[in-house]
Amino acid sequence: MLLATLAIITATAIAFVVTATPPDRPMVRTTGEATVGGPFSMVDHNGVPVTEESFKGKVLVLYFGFTYCPDVCPTQLLALSDALERLGDKGSDVAPVFVSVDPERDTPEVLKDYVTNFHPSMVGLTGSVEQVAAMADAFYVTYYKVKNVDTAAEYLMDHTSIVYVMGRDGKYLTHFTHATPPKQMAETLKQFL
Ligand code: NI
């Protein structure tokens, strides 16, 4: 009884702010077409407003995370950077984009320092809490604040960790996970370039 109570208290303490809930729509239409993605309105790391139209004509590689992330985001962005290097000149047709799920701390200035450290062509996106929530929802990305007891950061974000690949027309092509080696990412991306 005591243990069960403790478990409930702990669970409540950890997930203390839920900022996004899983979308309840299917990820694939009855036609077989994926429903991932769609219009979005955000601000890039130079403070310039951008939409999905800003990336048309490029293969968009999207990853959602936050700059305070201690390990998952840096590991994934390093892998992505490695994949981009493997593409050589062809990589210029790829737009690697890091979307913040922590807009309260990830200002354009913070994002600029962060993304350009991983790759010169990487673009950071942020926006209002509502803009970020809408874009994350379109990509089935969920995230929530988790109270942090280990480091100086007040909170961390628990978030979906998937790399989405969107075609030149903005439509979903495929995705990568933490288990996809950079070499395989590069080979897959090459097919779309
Ligand atoms: Ni992360």
Side-chain angles (χ1 to χ4, degrees):
M1 179 61 194
L2 178 61
L3 276 178
T5 309
L6 277 176
I8 290 166
I9 291 169
T10 308
T12 310
I14 291 171
F16 77 109
V17 179
V18 177
T19 49
T21 51
D24 55 6
R25 62 193 186 283
M27 290 184 75
V28 178
R29 293 195 182 88
T30 48
T31 57
E33 193 187 351
T35 59
V36 176
F40 57 83
S41 175
M42 300 284 280
V43 177
D44 76 9
H45 66 237
N46 291 312
V48 178
V50 293
T51 69
E52 73 288 353
E53 291 291 329
S54 315
F55 300 98
K56 283 260 165 82
K58 293 221 174 193
V59 172
L60 187 58
V61 181
L62 273 177
Y63 183 73
F64 291 73
F66 67 114
T67 66
Y68 279 74
C69 189
D71 44 30
V72 178
C73 290
T75 304
Q76 190 63 72
L77 292 176
L78 274 177
L80 182 53
S81 177
D82 184 345
L84 291 169
E85 288 302 315
R86 287 166 186 273
L87 289 174
D89 290 346
K90 283 187 165 181
S92 60
D93 271 0
V94 176
V97 176
F98 178 72
V99 186
S100 175
V101 294
D102 186 15
E104 290 161 58
R105 292 186 296 197
D106 289 342
T107 61
E109 296 75 26
V110 170
L111 274 178
K112 187 172 188 168
D113 278 348
Y114 189 75
V115 295
T116 52
N117 258 318
F118 286 100
H119 199 271
S121 68
M122 198 172 287
V123 177
L125 296 188
T126 186
S128 67
V129 169
E130 292 77 18
Q131 283 175 312
V132 168
M135 184 169 181
D137 187 60
F139 285 87
Y140 299 86
V141 166
T142 63
Y143 56 96
Y144 53 87
K145 285 182 182 174
V146 180
K147 226 170 214 165
N148 183 29
V149 289
D150 296 332
T151 70
E154 186 195 340
Y155 64 89
L156 299 174
M157 303 297 290
D158 199 338
H159 63 93
T160 306
S161 184
I162 291 177
V163 177
Y164 287 106
V165 181
M166 312 298 286
R168 295 180 196 272
D169 59 357
K171 291 201 172 138
Y172 170 84
L173 292 173
T174 188
H175 65 267
F176 306 132
T177 70
H178 67 278
T180 316
K183 189 165 178 270
Q184 193 185 324
M185 283 190 211
E187 278 160 14
T188 304
L189 287 171
K190 252 181 212 160
Q191 297 169 21
F192 305 127
L193 295 171

PDB file of all heavy atoms in Angstrom, residues 5-38:
ATOM      1  N   THR A   5       1.460   3.961  -3.074  1.00  0.00           N
ATOM      2  CA  THR A   5       1.265   5.403  -2.878  1.00  0.00           C
ATOM      3  C   THR A   5       2.505   6.161  -3.303  1.00  0.00           C
ATOM      4  O   THR A   5       2.438   7.166  -4.001  1.00  0.00           O
ATOM      5  CB  THR A   5       0.951   5.704  -1.395  1.00  0.00           C
ATOM      6  OG1 THR A   5      -0.097   4.853  -0.977  1.00  0.00           O
ATOM      7  CG2 THR A   5       0.548   7.148  -1.200  1.00  0.00           C
ATOM      8  N   LEU A   6       3.651   5.644  -2.898  1.00  0.00           N
ATOM      9  CA  LEU A   6       4.913   6.279  -3.266  1.00  0.00           C
ATOM     10  C   LEU A   6       5.076   6.324  -4.782  1.00  0.00           C
ATOM     11  O   LEU A   6       5.525   7.309  -5.334  1.00  0.00           O
ATOM     12  CB  LEU A   6       6.093   5.524  -2.644  1.00  0.00           C
ATOM     13  CG  LEU A   6       6.431   5.878  -1.197  1.00  0.00           C
ATOM     14  CD1 LEU A   6       7.541   4.982  -0.687  1.00  0.00           C
ATOM     15  CD2 LEU A   6       6.819   7.348  -1.069  1.00  0.00           C
ATOM     16  N   ALA A   7       4.707   5.224  -5.428  1.00  0.00           N
ATOM     17  CA  ALA A   7       4.840   5.152  -6.889  1.00  0.00           C
ATOM     18  C   ALA A   7       3.990   6.226  -7.545  1.00  0.00           C
ATOM     19  O   ALA A   7       4.422   6.882  -8.490  1.00  0.00           O
ATOM     20  CB  ALA A   7       4.434   3.772  -7.387  1.00  0.00           C
ATOM     21  N   ILE A   8       2.801   6.431  -7.030  1.00  0.00           N
ATOM     22  CA  ILE A   8       1.894   7.439  -7.606  1.00  0.00           C
ATOM     23  C   ILE A   8       2.479   8.835  -7.398  1.00  0.00           C
ATOM     24  O   ILE A   8       2.533   9.647  -8.309  1.00  0.00           O
ATOM     25  CB  ILE A   8       0.482   7.327  -6.988  1.00  0.00           C
ATOM     26  CG1 ILE A   8      -0.179   6.037  -7.472  1.00  0.00           C
ATOM     27  CG2 ILE A   8      -0.362   8.542  -7.356  1.00  0.00           C
ATOM     28  CD1 ILE A   8      -1.395   5.628  -6.706  1.00  0.00           C
ATOM     29  N   ILE A   9       2.979   9.083  -6.200  1.00  0.00           N
ATOM     30  CA  ILE A   9       3.555  10.402  -5.898  1.00  0.00           C
ATOM     31  C   ILE A   9       4.753  10.662  -6.813  1.00  0.00           C
ATOM     32  O   ILE A   9       4.886  11.728  -7.383  1.00  0.00           O
ATOM     33  CB  ILE A   9       3.978  10.490  -4.402  1.00  0.00           C
ATOM     34  CG1 ILE A   9       2.733  10.496  -3.521  1.00  0.00           C
ATOM     35  CG2 ILE A   9       4.812  11.741  -4.151  1.00  0.00           C
ATOM     36  CD1 ILE A   9       3.009  10.309  -2.065  1.00  0.00           C
ATOM     37  N   THR A  10       5.610   9.663  -6.980  1.00  0.00           N
ATOM     38  CA  THR A  10       6.789   9.813  -7.821  1.00  0.00           C
ATOM     39  C   THR A  10       6.391  10.118  -9.260  1.00  0.00           C
ATOM     40  O   THR A  10       6.911  11.028  -9.879  1.00  0.00           O
ATOM     41  CB  THR A  10       7.650   8.530  -7.789  1.00  0.00           C
ATOM     42  OG1 THR A  10       7.883   8.213  -6.428  1.00  0.00           O
ATOM     43  CG2 THR A  10       8.966   8.744  -8.494  1.00  0.00           C
ATOM     44  N   ALA A  11       5.438   9.363  -9.766  1.00  0.00           N
ATOM     45  CA  ALA A  11       4.999   9.562 -11.150  1.00  0.00           C
ATOM     46  C   ALA A  11       4.450  10.974 -11.332  1.00  0.00           C
ATOM     47  O   ALA A  11       4.722  11.640 -12.327  1.00  0.00           O
ATOM     48  CB  ALA A  11       3.937   8.533 -11.520  1.00  0.00           C
ATOM     49  N   THR A  12       3.723  11.456 -10.347  1.00  0.00           N
ATOM     50  CA  THR A  12       3.148  12.801 -10.427  1.00  0.00           C
ATOM     51  C   THR A  12       4.252  13.852 -10.405  1.00  0.00           C
ATOM     52  O   THR A  12       4.215  14.823 -11.146  1.00  0.00           O
ATOM     53  CB  THR A  12       2.191  13.039  -9.235  1.00  0.00           C
ATOM     54  OG1 THR A  12       1.311  11.947  -9.159  1.00  0.00           O
ATOM     55  CG2 THR A  12       1.399  14.317  -9.417  1.00  0.00           C
ATOM     56  N   ALA A  13       5.254  13.629  -9.577  1.00  0.00           N
ATOM     57  CA  ALA A  13       6.334  14.593  -9.424  1.00  0.00           C
ATOM     58  C   ALA A  13       7.166  14.684 -10.705  1.00  0.00           C
ATOM     59  O   ALA A  13       7.629  15.756 -11.073  1.00  0.00           O
ATOM     60  CB  ALA A  13       7.223  14.205  -8.260  1.00  0.00           C
ATOM     61  N   ILE A  14       7.338  13.570 -11.387  1.00  0.00           N
ATOM     62  CA  ILE A  14       8.194  13.568 -12.578  1.00  0.00           C
ATOM     63  C   ILE A  14       7.497  14.261 -13.754  1.00  0.00           C
ATOM     64  O   ILE A  14       8.016  15.203 -14.310  1.00  0.00           O
ATOM     65  CB  ILE A  14       8.612  12.120 -12.947  1.00  0.00           C
ATOM     66  CG1 ILE A  14       9.571  11.591 -11.883  1.00  0.00           C
ATOM     67  CG2 ILE A  14       9.267  12.087 -14.315  1.00  0.00           C
ATOM     68  CD1 ILE A  14       9.879  10.136 -11.996  1.00  0.00           C
ATOM     69  N   ALA A  15       6.306  13.817 -14.078  1.00  0.00           N
ATOM     70  CA  ALA A  15       5.615  14.411 -15.232  1.00  0.00           C
ATOM     71  C   ALA A  15       4.719  15.533 -14.737  1.00  0.00           C
ATOM     72  O   ALA A  15       3.514  15.437 -14.725  1.00  0.00           O
ATOM     73  CB  ALA A  15       4.813  13.339 -15.964  1.00  0.00           C
ATOM     74  N   PHE A  16       5.348  16.631 -14.334  1.00  0.00           N
ATOM     75  CA  PHE A  16       4.548  17.665 -13.670  1.00  0.00           C
ATOM     76  C   PHE A  16       3.927  18.664 -14.620  1.00  0.00           C
ATOM     77  O   PHE A  16       2.984  19.335 -14.272  1.00  0.00           O
ATOM     78  CB  PHE A  16       5.361  18.361 -12.564  1.00  0.00           C
ATOM     79  CG  PHE A  16       6.368  19.361 -13.057  1.00  0.00           C
ATOM     80  CD1 PHE A  16       6.164  20.717 -12.862  1.00  0.00           C
ATOM     81  CD2 PHE A  16       7.525  18.951 -13.703  1.00  0.00           C
ATOM     82  CE1 PHE A  16       7.098  21.636 -13.299  1.00  0.00           C
ATOM     83  CE2 PHE A  16       8.455  19.863 -14.136  1.00  0.00           C
ATOM     84  CZ  PHE A  16       8.241  21.208 -13.942  1.00  0.00           C
ATOM     85  N   VAL A  17       4.433  18.751 -15.820  1.00  0.00           N
ATOM     86  CA  VAL A  17       3.765  19.611 -16.800  1.00  0.00           C
ATOM     87  C   VAL A  17       3.655  18.842 -18.117  1.00  0.00           C
ATOM     88  O   VAL A  17       4.659  18.444 -18.691  1.00  0.00           O
ATOM     89  CB  VAL A  17       4.549  20.912 -17.058  1.00  0.00           C
ATOM     90  CG1 VAL A  17       3.814  21.761 -18.103  1.00  0.00           C
ATOM     91  CG2 VAL A  17       4.730  21.713 -15.777  1.00  0.00           C
ATOM     92  N   VAL A  18       2.474  18.594 -18.540  1.00  0.00           N
ATOM     93  CA  VAL A  18       2.292  17.932 -19.839  1.00  0.00           C
ATOM     94  C   VAL A  18       1.965  19.007 -20.861  1.00  0.00           C
ATOM     95  O   VAL A  18       0.970  19.702 -20.743  1.00  0.00           O
ATOM     96  CB  VAL A  18       1.170  16.878 -19.777  1.00  0.00           C
ATOM     97  CG1 VAL A  18       0.946  16.247 -21.138  1.00  0.00           C
ATOM     98  CG2 VAL A  18       1.520  15.805 -18.756  1.00  0.00           C
ATOM     99  N   THR A  19       2.842  19.179 -21.834  1.00  0.00           N
ATOM    100  CA  THR A  19       2.637  20.235 -22.817  1.00  0.00           C
ATOM    101  C   THR A  19       2.145  19.691 -24.150  1.00  0.00           C
ATOM    102  O   THR A  19       1.797  20.434 -25.030  1.00  0.00           O
ATOM    103  CB  THR A  19       3.933  21.027 -23.055  1.00  0.00           C
ATOM    104  OG1 THR A  19       4.987  20.106 -23.270  1.00  0.00           O
ATOM    105  CG2 THR A  19       4.258  21.900 -21.870  1.00  0.00           C
ATOM    106  N   ALA A  20       2.174  18.381 -24.310  1.00  0.00           N
ATOM    107  CA  ALA A  20       1.678  17.812 -25.556  1.00  0.00           C
ATOM    108  C   ALA A  20       1.154  16.410 -25.294  1.00  0.00           C
ATOM    109  O   ALA A  20       1.686  15.695 -24.460  1.00  0.00           O
ATOM    110  CB  ALA A  20       2.787  17.758 -26.602  1.00  0.00           C
ATOM    111  N   THR A  21       0.120  16.044 -25.979  1.00  0.00           N
ATOM    112  CA  THR A  21      -0.423  14.695 -25.845  1.00  0.00           C
ATOM    113  C   THR A  21      -0.353  14.009 -27.204  1.00  0.00           C
ATOM    114  O   THR A  21      -0.350  14.682 -28.236  1.00  0.00           O
ATOM    115  CB  THR A  21      -1.888  14.739 -25.368  1.00  0.00           C
ATOM    116  OG1 THR A  21      -2.592  15.639 -26.213  1.00  0.00           O
ATOM    117  CG2 THR A  21      -1.993  15.223 -23.934  1.00  0.00           C
ATOM    118  N   PRO A  22      -0.275  12.691 -27.220  1.00  0.00           N
ATOM    119  CA  PRO A  22      -0.167  12.005 -28.520  1.00  0.00           C
ATOM    120  C   PRO A  22      -1.374  12.298 -29.396  1.00  0.00           C
ATOM    121  O   PRO A  22      -2.499  12.290 -28.922  1.00  0.00           O
ATOM    122  CB  PRO A  22      -0.134  10.524 -28.127  1.00  0.00           C
ATOM    123  CG  PRO A  22       0.235  10.505 -26.680  1.00  0.00           C
ATOM    124  CD  PRO A  22      -0.295  11.776 -26.096  1.00  0.00           C
ATOM    125  N   PRO A  23      -1.140  12.584 -30.681  1.00  0.00           N
ATOM    126  CA  PRO A  23      -2.270  12.811 -31.582  1.00  0.00           C
ATOM    127  C   PRO A  23      -3.113  11.546 -31.670  1.00  0.00           C
ATOM    128  O   PRO A  23      -2.574  10.442 -31.604  1.00  0.00           O
ATOM    129  CB  PRO A  23      -1.591  13.113 -32.923  1.00  0.00           C
ATOM    130  CG  PRO A  23      -0.164  13.378 -32.617  1.00  0.00           C
ATOM    131  CD  PRO A  23       0.148  12.644 -31.360  1.00  0.00           C
ATOM    132  N   ASP A  24      -4.410  11.700 -31.835  1.00  0.00           N
ATOM    133  CA  ASP A  24      -5.262  10.514 -31.861  1.00  0.00           C
ATOM    134  C   ASP A  24      -5.641  10.107 -33.283  1.00  0.00           C
ATOM    135  O   ASP A  24      -6.512   9.295 -33.493  1.00  0.00           O
ATOM    136  CB  ASP A  24      -6.523  10.734 -31.006  1.00  0.00           C
ATOM    137  CG  ASP A  24      -7.277  11.980 -31.431  1.00  0.00           C
ATOM    138  OD1 ASP A  24      -6.889  12.588 -32.450  1.00  0.00           O
ATOM    139  OD2 ASP A  24      -8.242  12.346 -30.739  1.00  0.00           O
ATOM    140  N   ARG A  25      -4.984  10.712 -34.290  1.00  0.00           N
ATOM    141  CA  ARG A  25      -5.318  10.350 -35.670  1.00  0.00           C
ATOM    142  C   ARG A  25      -4.344   9.274 -36.176  1.00  0.00           C
ATOM    143  O   ARG A  25      -3.229   9.168 -35.669  1.00  0.00           O
ATOM    144  CB  ARG A  25      -5.248  11.576 -36.559  1.00  0.00           C
ATOM    145  CG  ARG A  25      -3.862  12.202 -36.621  1.00  0.00           C
ATOM    146  CD  ARG A  25      -3.920  13.590 -37.247  1.00  0.00           C
ATOM    147  NE  ARG A  25      -2.581  14.136 -37.433  1.00  0.00           N
ATOM    148  CZ  ARG A  25      -1.852  14.654 -36.461  1.00  0.00           C
ATOM    149  NH1 ARG A  25      -2.327  14.681 -35.222  1.00  0.00           N
ATOM    150  NH2 ARG A  25      -0.642  15.124 -36.688  1.00  0.00           N
ATOM    151  N   PRO A  26      -4.748   8.516 -37.164  1.00  0.00           N
ATOM    152  CA  PRO A  26      -3.847   7.474 -37.683  1.00  0.00           C
ATOM    153  C   PRO A  26      -2.667   8.082 -38.439  1.00  0.00           C
ATOM    154  O   PRO A  26      -2.799   9.162 -39.016  1.00  0.00           O
ATOM    155  CB  PRO A  26      -4.736   6.661 -38.624  1.00  0.00           C
ATOM    156  CG  PRO A  26      -5.848   7.579 -39.000  1.00  0.00           C
ATOM    157  CD  PRO A  26      -6.047   8.519 -37.856  1.00  0.00           C
ATOM    158  N   MET A  27      -1.497   7.407 -38.406  1.00  0.00           N
ATOM    159  CA  MET A  27      -0.311   7.933 -39.076  1.00  0.00           C
ATOM    160  C   MET A  27      -0.316   7.653 -40.573  1.00  0.00           C
ATOM    161  O   MET A  27       0.494   8.181 -41.310  1.00  0.00           O
ATOM    162  CB  MET A  27       0.961   7.367 -38.448  1.00  0.00           C
ATOM    163  CG  MET A  27       1.211   7.924 -37.053  1.00  0.00           C
ATOM    164  SD  MET A  27       2.753   7.381 -36.328  1.00  0.00           S
ATOM    165  CE  MET A  27       3.945   8.366 -37.211  1.00  0.00           C
ATOM    166  N   VAL A  28      -1.217   6.788 -41.013  1.00  0.00           N
ATOM    167  CA  VAL A  28      -1.296   6.461 -42.437  1.00  0.00           C
ATOM    168  C   VAL A  28      -2.756   6.548 -42.877  1.00  0.00           C
ATOM    169  O   VAL A  28      -3.646   6.063 -42.183  1.00  0.00           O
ATOM    170  CB  VAL A  28      -0.751   5.035 -42.704  1.00  0.00           C
ATOM    171  CG1 VAL A  28      -0.873   4.681 -44.179  1.00  0.00           C
ATOM    172  CG2 VAL A  28       0.693   4.918 -42.253  1.00  0.00           C
ATOM    173  N   ARG A  29      -3.011   7.196 -43.989  1.00  0.00           N
ATOM    174  CA  ARG A  29      -4.373   7.284 -44.525  1.00  0.00           C
ATOM    175  C   ARG A  29      -4.780   5.943 -45.122  1.00  0.00           C
ATOM    176  O   ARG A  29      -3.930   5.095 -45.389  1.00  0.00           O
ATOM    177  CB  ARG A  29      -4.449   8.362 -45.618  1.00  0.00           C
ATOM    178  CG  ARG A  29      -4.232   9.768 -45.091  1.00  0.00           C
ATOM    179  CD  ARG A  29      -4.672  10.820 -46.118  1.00  0.00           C
ATOM    180  NE  ARG A  29      -4.405  12.154 -45.584  1.00  0.00           N
ATOM    181  CZ  ARG A  29      -3.244  12.793 -45.741  1.00  0.00           C
ATOM    182  NH1 ARG A  29      -2.279  12.224 -46.420  1.00  0.00           N
ATOM    183  NH2 ARG A  29      -3.050  13.992 -45.220  1.00  0.00           N
ATOM    184  N   THR A  30      -6.055   5.771 -45.378  1.00  0.00           N
ATOM    185  CA  THR A  30      -6.522   4.505 -45.960  1.00  0.00           C
ATOM    186  C   THR A  30      -5.920   4.314 -47.357  1.00  0.00           C
ATOM    187  O   THR A  30      -5.828   3.207 -47.853  1.00  0.00           O
ATOM    188  CB  THR A  30      -8.064   4.482 -46.057  1.00  0.00           C
ATOM    189  OG1 THR A  30      -8.488   5.705 -46.649  1.00  0.00           O
ATOM    190  CG2 THR A  30      -8.692   4.332 -44.690  1.00  0.00           C
ATOM    191  N   THR A  31      -5.469   5.422 -47.979  1.00  0.00           N
ATOM    192  CA  THR A  31      -4.837   5.330 -49.301  1.00  0.00           C
ATOM    193  C   THR A  31      -3.393   4.829 -49.185  1.00  0.00           C
ATOM    194  O   THR A  31      -2.746   4.561 -50.196  1.00  0.00           O
ATOM    195  CB  THR A  31      -4.775   6.709 -49.967  1.00  0.00           C
ATOM    196  OG1 THR A  31      -4.067   7.600 -49.094  1.00  0.00           O
ATOM    197  CG2 THR A  31      -6.145   7.258 -50.247  1.00  0.00           C
ATOM    198  N   GLY A  32      -2.892   4.728 -47.955  1.00  0.00           N
ATOM    199  CA  GLY A  32      -1.510   4.306 -47.749  1.00  0.00           C
ATOM    200  C   GLY A  32      -0.558   5.481 -47.614  1.00  0.00           C
ATOM    201  O   GLY A  32       0.600   5.320 -47.266  1.00  0.00           O
ATOM    202  N   GLU A  33      -1.052   6.696 -47.854  1.00  0.00           N
ATOM    203  CA  GLU A  33      -0.205   7.883 -47.756  1.00  0.00           C
ATOM    204  C   GLU A  33      -0.023   8.273 -46.289  1.00  0.00           C
ATOM    205  O   GLU A  33      -0.984   8.270 -45.519  1.00  0.00           O
ATOM    206  CB  GLU A  33      -0.876   9.037 -48.520  1.00  0.00           C
ATOM    207  CG  GLU A  33       0.048  10.217 -48.749  1.00  0.00           C
ATOM    208  CD  GLU A  33      -0.686  11.419 -49.351  1.00  0.00           C
ATOM    209  OE1 GLU A  33      -1.862  11.274 -49.733  1.00  0.00           O
ATOM    210  OE2 GLU A  33      -0.070  12.480 -49.409  1.00  0.00           O
ATOM    211  N   ALA A  34       1.221   8.616 -45.946  1.00  0.00           N
ATOM    212  CA  ALA A  34       1.499   8.999 -44.561  1.00  0.00           C
ATOM    213  C   ALA A  34       0.877  10.355 -44.242  1.00  0.00           C
ATOM    214  O   ALA A  34       0.778  11.224 -45.103  1.00  0.00           O
ATOM    215  CB  ALA A  34       3.000   9.055 -44.339  1.00  0.00           C
ATOM    216  N   THR A  35       0.437  10.515 -43.015  1.00  0.00           N
ATOM    217  CA  THR A  35      -0.151  11.796 -42.598  1.00  0.00           C
ATOM    218  C   THR A  35       0.853  12.647 -41.815  1.00  0.00           C
ATOM    219  O   THR A  35       0.500  13.680 -41.276  1.00  0.00           O
ATOM    220  CB  THR A  35      -1.390  11.562 -41.707  1.00  0.00           C
ATOM    221  OG1 THR A  35      -0.982  10.804 -40.571  1.00  0.00           O
ATOM    222  CG2 THR A  35      -2.478  10.838 -42.447  1.00  0.00           C
ATOM    223  N   VAL A  36       2.116  12.191 -41.766  1.00  0.00           N
ATOM    224  CA  VAL A  36       3.155  12.922 -41.035  1.00  0.00           C
ATOM    225  C   VAL A  36       3.491  14.229 -41.754  1.00  0.00           C
ATOM    226  O   VAL A  36       3.681  14.235 -42.964  1.00  0.00           O
ATOM    227  CB  VAL A  36       4.438  12.062 -40.920  1.00  0.00           C
ATOM    228  CG1 VAL A  36       5.553  12.851 -40.242  1.00  0.00           C
ATOM    229  CG2 VAL A  36       4.157  10.788 -40.168  1.00  0.00           C
ATOM    230  N   GLY A  37       3.585  15.297 -41.000  1.00  0.00           N
ATOM    231  CA  GLY A  37       4.005  16.579 -41.565  1.00  0.00           C
ATOM    232  C   GLY A  37       2.840  17.468 -41.925  1.00  0.00           C
ATOM    233  O   GLY A  37       1.700  17.206 -41.525  1.00  0.00           O
ATOM    234  N   GLY A  38       3.139  18.514 -42.663  1.00  0.00           N
ATOM    235  CA  GLY A  38       2.112  19.480 -43.026  1.00  0.00           C
ATOM    236  C   GLY A  38       2.608  20.889 -42.816  1.00  0.00           C
ATOM    237  O   GLY A  38       3.791  21.104 -42.540  1.00  0.00           O
TER     238      GLY A  38
END
